[in-house]
Structures are given as structure tokens and as C-alpha cells.
Amino acid sequence: MGKVKIKKADVWIDMTPMSDVMVLLLTFFMLTSTFVKNEAVKVNTPGSVSEIKVPETEVLQILVDKEGKIFIGLDKPGYMQEMLNNFRSQVTSLELSGMQEKNFVALASFGAPVAEMSNVLRHESNEINEIQKKLGIPTDSIDGGMSEFQLWIQSARDSSFGSDMKIAIKADAATPYRVVKKMMSELQDMSENRYYLITSLKKEGE
């Protein structure tokens, strides 16, 4: 008896809906994602049970490493450019080329004395963090006036976004207390009495 051949039906799956979903997901992540720049130093923040959220825009972040070196940064390149322009109007001795300005604006945070800025910013962007993390912004007053740290804060405050600018301090858990106290005293001298303290969230039982 001969075998009966069963005709095999071709299986066809419409992939259009899956492609549409993938495109939508990709678009969603592209529009909602924020790219994090490398900070000048790695800071291990102290623990806290506070759940107050730090704003994500128009924030001047002050980094303080465990050795007490201070770095500052803003969340947008345009803000960094404005702050630099205001700073240069106060410190006329600072001369930077177009490439050095571009390197400054691209940084997530910056920390070097005025005397070292030109030398630091002439390097490639991936080398600048390695150089500046050994320096930091001085808090010593200049000729009895404002310190370089205060000049940077004032330059940011005088920018177009300055009226809405928030200050956030991110200090390492091992930072000497005297450094943080001096920095806060300099902020208070400028009537900058409101700022966020960035900490790592922990449970009350820890």
C-alpha cells in the first residue's frame, strides 16, 4: 500500500509588530537616557536615611575628595561655558586658547588653581582628570579678598541660570571635617546658606 504524502504548509510569521515595538523601545531609551560624564574624582559618600531628592538640572555640584581637594561642575556644557566666561572677566590674567576652553566645557567637574589651568587644559580630555585630581581648587583668599573657590561660585551665580541654580555638596566620608567646615564657611560668607548634601541612602536599621 502506497504512503500518503501530507502536504506541508509553510509557516509565515509577520515580524512587523515586533519591529515596531523594538523601534519604539529604542526611541524611548534614547529620549529618556542621560549620559553620565566621568567626575574628576571618585567620592564614597557617607550614609544617610534622608530621602530628599537632589534636582537634576541647574545644579552646581561641589566635589570634595578624601584628601580635601575641591572640584566643581555644572550639569550642562553651556553652563560651564558661562561660568568660565564670568570667571575670566574677574581673573584677567587667565588666558586660554579655543581648544583649552573646549576641554574645560566638556568636563563633568573641574578643580585646579588658576596658575595651573592653562597647563592642565592643554592635555587631552581623558588625561585631564588624572592631572587635576592631584590639584583641586584653593580656598585661600587672594590678596585678602575672595578665594578662587568663592570666585568660581560667584561666576556660576552671575550666569543666566544663576537665579535658579542649586548647590549640591558631595564629600567623601573620609574627608577631614576642617575642610568641609572651611568650605561651608566660605559659602556662608557669600550668603550661600542653602545647599544639598549628597549621601548614600541606607536603612534606619543599618
Side-chain angles (χ1 to χ4, degrees):
M1 186 174 179
K3 293 182 179 180
V4 178
K5 293 185 178 180
I6 301 174
K7 186 178 180 181
K8 293 183 179 179
D10 292 334
V11 178
W12 181 79
I13 300 175
D14 186 3
M15 299 295 291
T16 304
M18 181 177 292
S19 300
D20 292 342
V21 171
M22 292 300 296
V23 171
L24 288 173
L25 285 174
L26 179 61
T27 304
F28 170 77
F29 286 118
M30 288 178 65
L31 294 175
T32 59
S33 299
T34 55
F35 296 95
V36 179
K37 298 179 182 178
N38 291 326
E39 295 179 338
V41 290
K42 298 297 181 183
V43 175
N44 297 318
T45 54
S48 171
V49 295
S50 174
E51 296 187 26
I52 299 175
K53 187 176 180 181
V54 178
E56 296 182 358
T57 59
E58 297 172 343
V59 176
L60 176 69
Q61 182 169 275
I62 303 173
L63 291 173
V64 190
D65 70 4
K66 61 183 178 181
E67 296 178 358
K69 296 182 179 65
I70 298 174
F71 307 83
I72 61 173
L74 288 159
D75 53 285
K76 293 183 180 179
Y79 294 166
M80 291 286 283
Q81 183 68 65
E82 279 194 66
M83 179 174 66
L84 177 61
N85 293 340
N86 292 337
F87 186 82
R88 293 179 69 180
S89 67
Q90 300 181 74
V91 184
T92 55
S93 61
L94 179 60
E95 296 183 1
L96 299 176
S97 66
M99 180 57 70
Q100 289 169 324
E101 283 193 31
K102 184 178 179 181
N103 288 341
F104 177 90
V105 170
L107 294 172
S109 50
F110 177 79
V114 172
E116 297 289 338
M117 281 186 65
S118 180
N119 180 53
V120 172
L121 294 173
R122 71 177 56 176
H123 293 82
E124 296 293 332
S125 56
N126 59 341
E127 299 175 342
I128 292 177
N129 282 342
E130 288 299 318
I131 299 172
Q132 68 175 355
K133 71 180 182 180
K134 302 174 184 178
L135 301 172
I137 298 174
T139 54
D140 300 326
S141 62
I142 304 173
D143 298 327
M146 299 177 73
S147 67
E148 289 186 25
F149 171 71
Q150 289 176 318
L151 286 175
W152 281 112
I153 301 297
Q154 189 62 54
S155 297
R157 183 62 76 186
D158 291 341
S159 300
S160 61
F161 59 90
S163 58
D164 298 320
M165 185 184 77
K166 281 77 68 175
I167 297 177
I169 299 174
K170 186 178 181 180
D172 195 280
T175 302
Y177 173 72
R178 57 180 174 78
V179 175
V180 179
K181 181 180 179 182
K182 180 174 177 56
M183 181 185 63
M184 289 184 175
S185 295
E186 293 208 355
L187 289 173
Q188 290 174 353
D189 290 342
M190 303 173 65
S191 298
E192 296 286 356
N193 300 312
R194 296 176 62 87
Y195 40 78
Y196 295 87
L197 296 176
I198 300 177
T199 58
S200 299
L201 184 64
K202 68 177 182 179
K203 297 180 180 179
E204 294 187 17
E206 293 183 358

